[in-house]
Amino acid sequence: MAKRIALFDNIKGVLIILVVAGHFMHPVHNDNLALSAAFDVIYLFHMPLFVFVSGLFAKGAYREGHLNVNRMISFLVLGLAYQAAYLAISGMLTPQRMLLFTSAPWYLIGMAWWYAATPMLSRLPAPAGLAVSLCASLASGCIDLSNGFLAISRSLAFLPFFSLGYYCTTEQLEHLSYRRGLWAAVVAAACIALLRIADAHAYDWFFQMVYGDNPYRSGIVSGMVARLTATAIAVLFSLATLKLDRKPRASSPFWAPARCRSMCSIASSAPGLPSKRPSTTCPFCSIRSSDRPSSSL
């Protein structure tokens, strides 16, 4: 069984909360200034980061020349079932609507598309794969697929984030999370969020691009600039989230958890331990194993 990594469990937990919060806010966020600001800030990055994490853990999609078709079929079946249930509850279930993914089921269809892209990504070096993905994302805005047909538009729009996750490793991200320079991303993300709080229209010129399914309505060049801006902001907020979610480095001299001290103190005073043992020092709280009393039995 694969070892779980707390950093990514934390990030996935935060993203799930943000997705649920965003869906709850969506029907009413325009009626409340605070909810509107929170909604806009959440949508700047929560889906791009979710797609990135999906790519990060999709290394098994294509291995040794074999595409994981069974997993792709699972995504498609679940996506169609979810779509049918959603449309039935909404009273909109028709054969035509079944292929138009404009709500939550789109993500499952998107996963199938992204898995289908992994053979190409695996054959390209990371810079080339990311460049191709970014070009596909930018080109997708030239065609109006905002009706959600087979989730093609959103899948292409978010492809760079999946590709970036696919090329990264968990070890690289864990190391990156300890870089002090990431505090600059935290500060910059906070400033961008504060800008939205101060001005309700601060994001208007690029915000339609964060949804991934809107075409360029005001011109191709300005549309591409808006999408690149949305992409850059999503990366910035994702780096800030990575920094804020990381745990302290175990080797840090400033990290000495009370629980570690308590457990080592208890162990050092516990009777019944063998007297002949190597003398070791806990790296976290500096309690030596030789300080424990020998067995009195």
Side-chain angles (χ1 to χ4, degrees), residues 53-219:
V53 173
S54 295
L56 181 66
F57 292 100
K59 304 296 191 293
Y62 182 77
R63 283 181 177 170
E64 299 178 353
H66 297 288
L67 181 63
N68 193 340
V69 177
N70 289 337
R71 181 62 62 86
M72 292 174 61
I73 293 174
S74 297
F75 286 134
L76 291 172
V77 170
L78 288 172
L80 289 170
Y82 190 178
Q83 176 83 330
Y86 173 79
L87 293 175
I89 293 172
S90 305
M92 299 183 296
L93 183 57
T94 64
Q96 294 79 12
R97 283 286 301 168
M98 277 294 297
L99 300 179
L100 305 180
F101 293 86
T102 56
S103 56
W106 81 266
Y107 197 86
L108 292 164
I109 306 302
M111 285 297 298
W113 283 120
W114 296 324
Y115 263 53
T118 55
M120 176 197 71
L121 296 176
S122 68
R123 288 178 170 83
L124 294 174
L130 291 172
V132 170
S133 299
L134 184 59
C135 289
S137 175
L138 293 173
S140 68
C142 299
I143 304 172
D144 189 353
L145 290 173
S146 55
N147 62 355
F149 179 69
L150 294 178
I152 293 174
S153 183
R154 285 183 178 178
S155 299
L156 287 173
F158 290 116
L159 178 60
F161 298 99
F162 181 87
S163 301
L164 182 59
Y166 185 78
Y167 286 123
C168 287
T169 65
T170 55
E171 292 79 10
Q172 289 172 333
L173 294 175
E174 285 188 287
H175 178 73
L176 179 62
S177 70
Y178 289 108
R179 298 289 294 271
R180 292 183 179 180
L182 281 193
W183 286 114
V186 175
V187 173
C191 291
I192 293 173
L194 289 173
L195 181 63
R196 171 59 183 82
I197 294 172
D199 181 3
H201 300 287
Y203 298 170
D204 285 358
W205 66 278
F206 72 86
F207 193 74
Q208 289 302 310
M209 292 297 104
V210 306
Y211 295 104
D213 56 357
N214 291 310
Y216 304 143
R217 301 189 187 280
S218 57

Side-chain angles (χ1 to χ4, degrees), residues 13-28:
V14 169
L15 290 174
I16 290 170
I17 292 171
L18 292 179
V19 168
V20 173
H23 281 283
F24 269 105
M25 291 179 188
H26 191 274
V28 297

